[in-house]
Amino acid sequence: MTAVTLDSLDLAALLASRICHDVISPVGAIVNGLEVLEEEKDEQMRVFALDLVKKSSKQASARLQFARIAFGAAGSAGASIDTGDAENVARAFLADSKAELSWTGPRALLPKNRVKLLLNLIVIASTTIPRGGKIDVTLEGSGFDPDMTFRIVTTGISSRIPAGLEDLLDGKAPEHGIDAHVIQPYYTGLVGRAARMDVSLEAREDGVTLTATPQPAEAQPESGVTEGTAGS
């Protein structure tokens, strides 16, 4: 892999494609359910269709609320985000997945990019346990300390670090280049550098540990995306 820098238009387009991919399935299910309600006379089928619409609407809403913080502006430049809100959207986002989420740590207002990094790391964590399992999120530090360390431990059968993930986090592109399939970990690396946090991954026998540690105060961000502006 080689280091790559996307221009802002390409980055925005690929992130939009990723978000659309995440919401198209539940939105399509809502459309199908509404069509059944319009055409079907059988009461049992109508009940099934209504249930599908309700579940899919909840899923679409959860994915959009998650994306708003993880990828979007979610406040003005330099804003802080409540980690309690991050926990709520993460739980809703994973509610229909095979992963069980646990969350430990004080509730705090953290710089926006650090919360965005945390949520994106949770997405990455879910890819390390493709057959399901547990995702344990720990925020290490006090509720008054913006320099918290994030530790995410996954446990599951057939756990692994996806091929190329570490390179993408470092801003390196695979041979075919950056596309919508790999934009999320690439973007996570951008946000990590903007937030001045170092991200590391460690494979264990039964899972993967992801850690995000604040850089020393004198360290400078490596990307053109600055603290508080990524995704805004």
Side-chain angles (χ1 to χ4, degrees):
M1 291 194 178
T2 56
V4 63
T5 301
L6 293 178
D7 67 38
S8 57
L9 288 177
D10 286 339
L11 178 62
L14 290 171
L15 286 175
S17 293
R18 166 62 195 243
I19 294 169
C20 289
H21 176 271
D22 285 348
V23 300
I24 194 65
S25 178
V27 170
I30 293 169
V31 172
N32 292 338
L34 291 174
E35 288 177 350
V36 171
L37 287 173
E38 279 186 347
E39 301 170 3
E40 186 62 57
K41 302 303 181 185
D42 181 79
E43 188 60 28
Q44 195 170 21
M45 285 297 297
R46 290 179 62 82
V47 170
F48 172 80
L50 183 59
D51 185 57
L52 176 64
V53 170
K54 289 179 178 179
K55 289 181 178 179
S56 299
S57 298
K58 184 177 180 181
Q59 187 181 59
S61 176
R63 293 185 181 186
L64 286 171
Q65 289 184 55
F66 183 92
R68 177 177 176 269
I69 299 179
F71 303 115
S76 60
S80 296
I81 296 177
D82 191 327
T83 58
D85 294 336
E87 177 184 358
N88 290 338
V89 298
R91 289 192 181 281
F93 179 78
L94 293 172
D96 295 314
S97 73
K98 299 177 182 177
E100 175 187 347
L101 178 67
S102 71
W103 190 289
T104 304
R107 187 164 184 167
L109 286 173
L110 296 183
K112 179 172 64 175
N113 275 352
R114 296 200 171 183
V115 178
K116 291 160 73 73
L117 175 63
L118 175 60
L119 292 179
N120 275 278
L121 287 176
I122 290 172
V123 174
I124 290 174
S126 68
T127 69
T128 69
I129 44 174
R131 297 178 61 183
K134 292 185 63 180
I135 299 176
D136 297 312
V137 177
T138 302
L139 279 57
E140 300 176 354
S142 73
F144 302 98
D145 181 10
D147 286 335
M148 285 185 170
T149 291
F150 306 145
R151 198 173 310 279
I152 304 173
V153 178
T154 68
T155 307
I157 299 172
S158 301
S159 64
R160 82 287 186 274
I161 297 176
L165 174 58
E166 292 171 287
D167 284 327
L168 286 163
L169 288 170
D170 287 339
K172 299 173 184 176
E175 290 184 5
H176 65 270
I178 300 290
D179 58 24
H181 296 290
V182 299
I183 189 60
Q184 190 271 330
Y186 176 83
Y187 175 74
T188 302
L190 285 178
V191 175
R193 290 186 286 279
R196 305 182 188 186
M197 297 190 77
D198 294 322
V199 177
S200 63
L201 293 84
E202 178 187 357
R204 308 187 324 276
E205 184 176 346
D206 61 346
V208 175
T209 299
L210 301 88
T211 306
T213 308
Q215 296 174 356
E218 65 272 12
Q220 296 297 317
E222 302 174 23
S223 76
V225 183
T226 56
E227 176 68 41
T229 61
S232 48

